Amino acid sequence: MKTIVKGLIIIIILLAIALPFASNNPDGLEATMEKVGLEEHPVYEAPLDYGETWGQSIVMGMIGIILVFGVSYGLAKLIKGA
Amino acid sequence: MHIPDGLLSMPVIVVTYAIMIAVVAYSAKKLKNLPENKIPLLGLFAAGIFAAQMVNFPIIGGVSGHLLGATLVAILLGPYAAVLIMTAVLIIQTLLFGDGGITALGANILNMGILGAFLGYTVYTKLKGINEIVAIGVASWLSVFLAAVLAAIEIGISKSLPFGKVLTLMASYHAIIGIGEAILTIIIVQAVRAKLPEIGGVPA
């Protein structure tokens, strides 16, 4: 348990340090889509986003980090148990 | 490189979902012998990949990229653990954060998870006898480059558009983004090995 908490805190600290340097430019696929005129047509509205400010992004990041940890941990347990 | 909704045709959606489900199920079966004490590590790697994917790094021409991480995890924990981790990351990104379309989830797990896990791991294993750093770098670069090529093919099959242009753009951008992937993968793999010398592998 101690290792898990320590690991999660290290990940969140690294994210907090790296976030101000993150680029908001379109990624390789988005840039390609723009150039060839491809548009997305969402069929599903996700409830969360990554936030606009550093503070919002950290909070959303923490939510995501904990959820991803929980889902992968749960999946691994399920596989072991099944 | 998360493909959104609206870019893939029904046949491509069905085929990519079918391949994804088959490979994830196969990987899950292979992970049955996963030591109990490795499970928290699996969760931490998944959390780390999610966090890393939040931070885009700029490349040329006002374009950015982010770490994929499938090859990174495969090198440290084996390809089956990498598939499980990338699947968990992509499910949360898609369902909760709107990163990538729900119809493209099969393709995205295939491109960004499965391809990098198995192909990256194979390339790394073949090259590590020559040089560890070169093996990590080449494997992780290839995982990004080929993921982009595969994504271009999936989109190209789905839509009537100038396929050559899509392929050229995707391949060129990701040839550069792949360099970022290679640098980050080399640094992170070495750092994790230095901190966790006993990490070993997961049944591979």
Side-chain angles (χ1 to χ4, degrees):
Chain A
M1 191 63 199
K2 224 179 118 194
T3 325
I4 296 173
V5 174
K6 204 175 136 194
L8 290 175
I9 290 172
I10 291 172
I11 292 167
I12 292 164
I13 291 172
L14 288 175
L15 177 64
I17 297 169
L19 265 179
F21 301 100
S23 167
N24 282 325
N25 291 339
D27 74 10
L29 174 60
E30 286 161 352
T32 302
M33 286 170 62
E34 274 173 33
K35 290 210 169 164
V36 296
L38 277 172
E39 275 175 33
E40 65 171 308
H41 299 281
V43 295
Y44 165 80
E45 190 70 41
L48 305 176
D49 58 49
Y50 293 111
E52 296 291 326
T53 64
W54 181 84
Q56 286 171 353
S57 295
I58 287 294
V59 172
M60 299 323 268
M62 284 170 71
I63 294 171
I65 284 165
I66 289 162
L67 283 170
V68 168
F69 177 86
V71 167
S72 48
Y73 190 95
L75 275 177
K77 280 273 183 198
L78 207 71
I79 289 167
K80 290 287 292 175
Chain B
M1 206 197 305
H2 295 65
I3 301 176
D5 286 320
L7 259 58
L8 301 180
S9 65
M10 193 46 91
V12 172
I13 292 169
V14 171
V15 170
T16 48
Y17 257 93
I19 297 172
M20 179 274 279
I21 289 167
V23 177
V24 171
Y26 176 73
S27 303
K29 211 173 131 206
K30 287 283 182 181
L31 284 172
K32 263 194 187 297
N33 299 321
L34 175 77
E36 192 78 25
N37 59 10
K38 287 267 165 91
I39 295 181
L41 200 61
L42 219 93
L44 285 176
F45 268 92
I49 297 297
F50 175 86
Q53 291 204 356
M54 281 181 69
V55 185
N56 279 47
F57 50 83
I59 61 161
I60 45 145
V63 179
S64 74
H66 62 68
L67 185 83
L68 297 186
T71 299
L72 189 165
V73 180
I75 289 169
L76 289 168
L77 295 177
Y80 304 115
V83 168
L84 184 84
I85 285 169
M86 297 310 292
T87 303
V89 169
L90 276 153
I91 287 174
I92 295 292
Q93 285 176 334
T94 304
L95 295 185
L96 293 175
F97 291 92
D99 240 352
I102 209 157
T103 56
L105 183 60
N108 284 330
I109 293 176
L110 182 61
N111 305 347
M112 290 187 278
I114 292 169
L115 184 73
F118 290 104
L119 186 119
Y121 185 78
T122 307
V123 172
Y124 165 73
T125 315
K126 293 246 187 286
L127 294 182
K128 70 175 176 184
I130 301 167
N131 180 292
E132 185 70 26
I133 303 287
V134 171
I136 299 171
V138 171
S140 49
W141 181 85
L142 263 181
S143 75
V144 174
F145 183 75
L146 293 178
V149 170
L150 187 56
I153 292 171
E154 288 155 358
I155 296 165
I157 294 172
S158 301
K159 295 261 169 188
S160 58
L161 41 73
F163 175 65
K165 195 176 175 193
V166 174
L167 183 65
T168 310
L169 285 167
M170 283 297 280
S172 341
Y173 287 139
H174 290 90
I176 302 166
I177 294 170
I179 298 171
E181 179 94 14
I183 294 169
L184 287 170
T185 306
I186 290 166
I187 293 170
I188 296 168
V189 167
Q190 304 288 61
V192 171
R193 279 181 179 158
K195 286 276 173 211
L196 292 169
E198 77 285 9
I199 187 166
V202 166

